[in-house]
Amino acid sequence: MPFISSQYIHRRSNYIIKYFKVIVFLILLFTVYLRWSLLSSNNETKLIEHVNDNIYLPRANVQSIKHGRLDLAKYIHLDLKGAPPKAENFYELFFNFLEKLQMGIKGVVIEYEDTLPLEGNLANNLQKKHQLEIIPLIQTFGHLEWILKLREYESYRDDPDLPMVISPCFNLTYVLFEDLLQQTLNMHPNSNIIHIGCDEVTLKNLHPHCQAKQMSVSETYIEHIRRIVDIVRKIRPGIRILIWDDILRGSSFIHNEKLLRQLEGLIEPVSWNYYTTFDDNYKSLSGWNIYPKFFKNIWAASAFKGGLHRFSMITNSTHHVLNNREWLHFIESSTFQHNPISAIILTGWSRFDHFMPICDILPTSYASLLYSLHVLNTDEYLVDDSNRDCDILLKSINKESTLCDTLPGRSIWSSIFSLKFHLLKIQNRLKLLNTIAPEYNRKYLFVRRYDLKSRLSELQFLLKKLLQNKQKLNQHFSNLYSKDVIDEWIDLYLTPVENQINRTFIEYAPVYHKTIWERRPLT
């Protein structure tokens, strides 16, 4: 009987333990479900860190209320600086593509620099055909390397050693600009807006003619802008004039309204910011409250390419889309409740400046451009940096994939993406070779030949394929770019890899042919 009682108690205990476990499991399950429900209904987008690029990506499983700005006027910036596409193969297709997108694109900002005046007339004809506004952009203070680098304009420099900023104290400066601005506006008889640049100006007043003027740098800056405005309005009265605002938002202007008042009604500032997150200093600039006192319109400028790395094989879509989303949220903030932003320019820089290498070639930025427009219109974050398929891209933003047929340089885009993956394979093989035969082993020719032979054969195969891809890419490039642009791009991204492979074969050749090895120690 005691034995039966003991069994009974033991069974009861087991039942109680099992029951308790079930209860605990249900509690845990309910807790997880509750937390998931709260996350799903959370209107705030959670962020996680993208370690490689030190940027932040939104979590895919978190939805937020979307409210984009389809009504916001959007202008696409084409920077022709040293890498202009062939006019006959680009503009007609590109303008047609932008118009059919129906994503709130009002016009195109064309920065000619050293391509002036080749493409302007064609672009103007397309403007009339496609009803897109053309805003010509011509630098009139800084970033004038394309002129000041030349011997005949050396005396125009603000600093004799630096061909970047033109001297505002030299009267011939304004004779030059009368010519350049006349040419520019002649090419665009229907344009009612012009952008005169004036960003990143480091004025030193070192020109000999500046010594007699007895003016501060900020006063000289204002006087120069006024003279440029006078030239523009003499050529075309009533035209609207845009200017980058990074100098105007500085303390010497923002805290001196007397200076800003001299530009009242003359220009419209364009504030550029290419970061994925705007810092508090930028968001709280007193300029946001001061600008409306003097200027009728305030513009914004984001980036869809060239706003991250000095040169890059492929556009980083993630960075640029996050930049455009940040602009959307800032535009919608209380800062602009009473003085809304008039329009936004999505800049697409080709070079950081005239002397810098090509950033990212335009066709690789198509995904970034479309995702950026989409996020501005919907506040919906969609990015896939690995996507090289135009059809999939357009379908993801609810556009007809047939639009891909009008996209110039589509084959360049897909070819460069394929090439990038191939180059990654090559770099991985080169690293692997170094693990098989590090420098010490190569020094004493002390390497496992059978491993080395296999890896060098793989590298030889990859080099052969690289040269084949290079030939195909060259053909695709030639449809849209001139030989000098193609050569520069290849020398930037392919030639260094070819050279590295060839050096590797030369360096490993003595090791590869060794058949007898010494005893240790090797020294």
Side-chain angles (χ1 to χ4, degrees):
M1 189 71 179
F3 173 75
I4 295 175
S5 177
S6 174
Q7 282 187 327
Y8 174 80
I9 293 172
H10 181 71
R11 283 199 301 270
R12 293 280 294 182
S13 299
N14 286 339
Y15 290 148
I16 292 172
I17 291 171
K18 289 179 181 178
Y19 179 79
F20 179 78
K21 288 181 179 178
V22 170
I23 294 297
V24 170
F25 174 78
L26 290 174
I27 292 172
L28 289 173
L29 188 63
F30 179 77
T31 303
V32 171
Y33 173 79
L34 185 62
R35 291 188 65 185
W36 178 84
S37 299
L38 288 172
L39 282 171
S40 298
S41 62
N42 190 353
N43 290 331
E44 294 294 321
T45 301
K46 301 283 178 97
L47 298 175
I48 59 173
E49 186 172 359
H50 189 295
V51 178
N52 293 332
D53 296 320
N54 196 26
I55 56 180
Y56 293 89
L57 306 176
R59 295 169 76 131
N61 63 332
V62 180
Q63 300 296 321
S64 60
I65 297 175
K66 309 297 181 186
H67 55 283
R69 286 291 306 275
L70 182 61
D71 62 314
L72 180 66
K74 302 166 190 73
Y75 292 80
I76 310 304
H77 169 243
L78 294 176
D79 179 16
L80 306 184
K81 198 184 292 118
K86 292 179 179 178
E88 66 276 14
N89 294 340
F90 176 74
Y91 287 104
E92 172 66 34
L93 290 172
F94 190 67
F95 278 48
N96 187 51
F97 177 78
L98 294 182
E99 190 173 59
K100 289 186 175 180
L101 270 178
Q102 297 183 349
M103 297 186 79
I105 301 169
K106 192 171 183 181
V108 178
V109 179
I110 302 180
E111 183 166 359
Y112 292 101
E113 212 211 45
D114 53 352
T115 63
L116 186 77
L118 181 60
E119 285 85 3
N121 290 318
L122 176 59
N124 183 62
N125 292 333
L126 290 168
Q127 174 185 6
K128 287 187 275 187
K129 181 178 179 179
H130 291 285
Q131 303 302 312
L132 287 171
E133 292 182 26
I134 301 294
I135 301 178
L137 192 163
I138 178 169
Q139 289 284 359
T140 57
F141 211 162
H143 288 300
L144 285 167
E145 299 92 341
W146 67 283
I147 294 176
L148 299 178
K149 70 180 182 180
L150 304 174
R151 184 179 300 280
E152 55 266 41
Y153 295 107
E154 185 179 6
S155 61
Y156 289 58
R157 300 175 186 174
D158 171 63
D159 183 337
D161 296 328
L162 300 174
M164 295 165 185
V165 178
I166 200 164
S167 175
C169 308
F170 193 40
N171 284 333
L172 287 179
T173 290
Y174 301 99
V175 176
L176 172 64
F177 281 127
E178 284 178 3
D179 182 24
L180 290 176
L181 289 165
Q182 183 73 62
Q183 285 189 57
T184 302
L185 291 172
N186 284 349
M187 289 192 300
H188 298 287
N190 298 315
S191 293
N192 58 11
I193 306 176
I194 188 172
H195 197 315
I196 61 171
C198 298
D199 61 316
E200 298 181 322
V201 177
T202 304
L203 186 62
K204 299 180 180 179
N205 277 346
L206 295 180
H207 194 281
H209 289 201
C210 291
Q211 306 305 316
K213 296 201 74 169
Q214 300 292 315
M215 294 176 68
S216 69
V217 168
S218 53
E219 289 171 333
T220 305
Y221 184 86
I222 293 293
E223 183 188 62
H224 176 75
I225 293 175
R226 287 179 61 89
R227 292 189 69 173
I228 295 296
V229 169
D230 287 343
I231 293 171
V232 171
R233 290 193 168 170
K234 181 181 177 181
I235 298 169
R236 187 164 300 168
I239 192 170
R240 295 165 60 188
I241 300 172
L242 307 182
I243 184 173
W244 298 120
D245 89 318
D246 53 301
I247 304 298
L248 295 179
R249 74 172 92 122
S251 58
S252 57
F253 294 96
I254 290 300
H255 299 310
N256 187 346
E257 293 191 16
K258 182 180 177 181
L259 275 177
L260 279 182
R261 187 170 284 110
Q262 295 181 51
L263 297 178
E264 184 173 1
L266 300 182
I267 53 99
E268 298 178 21
V270 184
S271 190
W272 56 272
N273 192 325
Y274 308 142
Y275 289 106
T276 57
T277 304
F278 299 167
D279 61 34
D280 291 337
N281 290 332
Y282 184 76
K283 288 182 176 180
S284 60
L285 280 173
S286 53
W288 306 127
N289 296 320
I290 295 172
Y291 283 169
K293 296 180 183 179
F294 306 110
F295 310 123
K296 184 177 179 180
N297 297 305
I298 304 170
W299 293 51
S302 62
F304 73 91
K305 72 177 290 289
L308 182 59
H309 299 302
R310 294 190 176 215
F311 65 97
S312 175
M313 180 177 285
I314 292 176
T315 303
N316 186 315
S317 298
T318 299
H319 174 91
H320 293 93
V321 175
L322 286 173
N323 168 244
N324 279 278
R325 188 179 69 169
E326 183 73 357
W327 261 116
L328 171 65
H329 294 171
F330 187 39
I331 288 170
E332 291 291 279
S333 70
S334 59
T335 302
F336 302 102
Q337 184 175 357
H338 301 295
N339 301 291
I341 292 290
S342 299
I344 186 168
I345 300 173
L346 286 79
T347 61
W349 300 105
S350 291
R351 303 174 190 270
F352 275 35
D353 69 29
H354 183 79
F355 288 105
M356 295 301 294
I358 298 174
C359 294
D360 30 355
I361 207 78
L362 180 62
T364 72
S365 70
Y366 287 150
S368 177
L369 174 60
L370 293 174
Y371 284 138
S372 294
L373 288 166
H374 182 75
V375 80
L376 286 170
N377 288 340
T378 66
D379 195 20
E380 182 182 19
Y381 180 91
L382 291 176
V383 173
D384 181 359
D385 276 310
S386 65
N387 181 29
R388 58 186 178 187
D389 189 308
C390 181
D391 295 343
I392 294 175
L393 171 62
L394 284 172
K395 287 177 181 177
S396 71
I397 59 172
N398 301 315
K399 299 296 177 183
E400 291 292 332
S401 60
T402 52
L403 284 174
C404 291
D405 299 335
T406 64
L407 196 58
R410 179 182 174 185
S411 59
I412 297 175
W413 172 24
S414 58
S415 296
I416 290 178
F417 265 87
S418 298
L419 183 62
K420 182 181 180 182
F421 289 115
H422 187 70
L423 292 176
L424 286 174
K425 288 182 181 178
I426 291 174
Q427 292 301 327
N428 287 336
R429 291 303 184 278
L430 289 170
K431 289 179 182 177
L432 184 59
L433 265 173
N434 194 55
T435 64
I436 293 171
E439 188 172 342
Y440 175 85
N441 294 67
R442 296 198 301 273
K443 178 180 177 181
Y444 294 103
L445 309 182
F446 204 73
V447 177
R448 292 196 302 180
R449 280 190 65 227
Y450 48 89
D451 260 3
L452 184 62
K453 182 178 180 180
S454 172
R455 299 309 175 189
L456 288 176
S457 296
E458 289 177 357
L459 192 61
Q460 185 69 55
F461 172 78
L462 291 173
L463 175 61
K464 181 180 178 181
K465 191 172 181 181
L466 174 63
L467 296 176
Q468 292 172 347
N469 289 338
K470 175 182 173 181
Q471 186 176 8
K472 290 179 183 177
L473 183 61
N474 204 319
Q475 293 171 353
H476 295 317
F477 258 115
S478 62
N479 293 325
L480 201 61
Y481 291 101
S482 57
K483 184 178 183 302
D484 61 304
V485 176
I486 299 171
D487 289 346
E488 181 181 359
W489 194 93
I490 287 175
D491 280 348
L492 272 174
Y493 300 109
L494 301 189
T495 302
V497 179
E498 289 180 48
N499 292 341
Q500 187 180 7
I501 293 174
N502 290 328
R503 286 195 304 268
T504 299
F505 285 130
I506 293 171
E507 186 177 355
Y508 282 80
V511 181
Y512 185 72
H513 292 101
K514 190 172 179 65
T515 57
I516 302 296
W517 295 268
E518 293 75 21
R519 296 178 182 271
R520 291 187 186 274
L522 302 177
T523 54

